[in-house]
Every structure is written in C-alpha cells, then in structure tokens.
Amino acid sequence: NFKVITYDTISKDAILSANQKSFGKRFIPTYSFDKADVIVSFDADFLSEWIDPAHARQYASNRKPENGKMSRHYQFESLLSVTGANADKRVPIKPSEQGQYILRLYDAVLKLSNNQTINSSKTKHDKLINQIAKELWSNKQNSLVVSGSDNIDIQIIINALNTLLDNYETTISTKIKS
C-alpha cells in the first residue's frame, strides 16, 4: 500500500482557489505581458519561475524602445529576483507587507474608478502607490497586476484589481484551453 503525492515547488493553489471564488471555476489564467503597457508585480518572478516560461519572451517584446514605446514595470518584492532586477522601479517590502500594499493599490484604483474608498492603511510608499494607480487607470485594458503570493485573499484582491482595470480578456485570458 502506497500513495503517490504530487508536490509543486511553487504552489498555484491560491490562484486556482481565488479564481474559483471570483469566477466560479478553478483555472490558471493566461497572462499576456506583451499586451501590457503597465505591469505591477507583487513577488511574482514571472521572468524566471512563475507559471509560464513564455512570460519572459512576451515581456521582452514589449520592452524595446526602438518600437516607439516601452512597457512600464513596477516590482514589489522581499528578495531580489530576476524580474525585480529588470523592473523600472523595484520596491523592497517585507513579505508581511504585501497584502497591505496590494490593498492600498486597490483602494487607490477604486477611488479613481468611482471616487469610493475602503480606507486601507497607509504605507511608506503611498505617493508611489498613487502614481502607479494613475498609470494603471490611464492604461485600462492594457495593464497587468500579478502576485506570487500563496494567500487566497491576496489573489482575490489581485482579481478585483484586474477587474477594475478591465484587464480580463485583454491582458488576462480566463478561457480554458483544451
């Protein structure tokens, strides 16, 4: 008698479970970094090990100034990653602060969308968060917010942020490929 146990070195369960709660089905979305003019990542090392190796090629294709425009990339992370090293602005934060920063960004985008607020707690980078929110809002449908967190609640807020920004079916596909 034995059991076969599968172990993911980088768990995707929080994304799967958050999508179940947000959209009614468990799936890993397809991210299109090549279509995003503004990218905000919270501890997602998408150029190295996060979800799909194609992200690096997509990201690079949208970072060529000779094409007339270049995507803007903000990286909030606790440890320096390949993705963080390539960001336009890298903000080191503690892992325990990730949820606070994501809520603050959600709050800033919510305020721009309908002048409402959830009164999230302040961060030491509020000025930057507000600037990022304005960039995201002016690039609705052409932005992307991702998180490498294994916390379902954080992933639900990421889903809500991308929903506010109308990113689904433009830079994020929920279609399950068969």
Side-chain angles (χ1 to χ4, degrees), residues 100-158:
Q100 177 187 7
Y101 276 78
I102 292 169
L103 268 176
R104 195 67 178 164
L105 181 60
Y106 174 79
D107 200 6
V109 171
L110 182 65
K111 188 168 184 167
L112 291 170
S113 74
N114 62 16
N115 216 19
Q116 292 183 343
T117 182
I118 58 170
N119 294 317
S120 59
S121 58
K122 295 195 180 296
T123 70
K124 61 184 173 186
H125 295 101
D126 274 1
K127 186 176 177 182
L128 177 62
I129 292 286
N130 289 329
Q131 173 195 329
I132 293 169
K134 288 175 186 170
E135 283 186 53
L136 286 168
W137 190 248
S138 66
N139 286 280
K140 282 178 64 173
Q141 296 185 331
N142 296 311
S143 60
L144 197 48
V145 183
V146 295
S147 171
S149 174
D150 199 30
N151 181 311
I152 296 168
D153 295 328
I154 284 177
Q155 294 295 345
I156 288 171
I157 298 164
I158 293 293

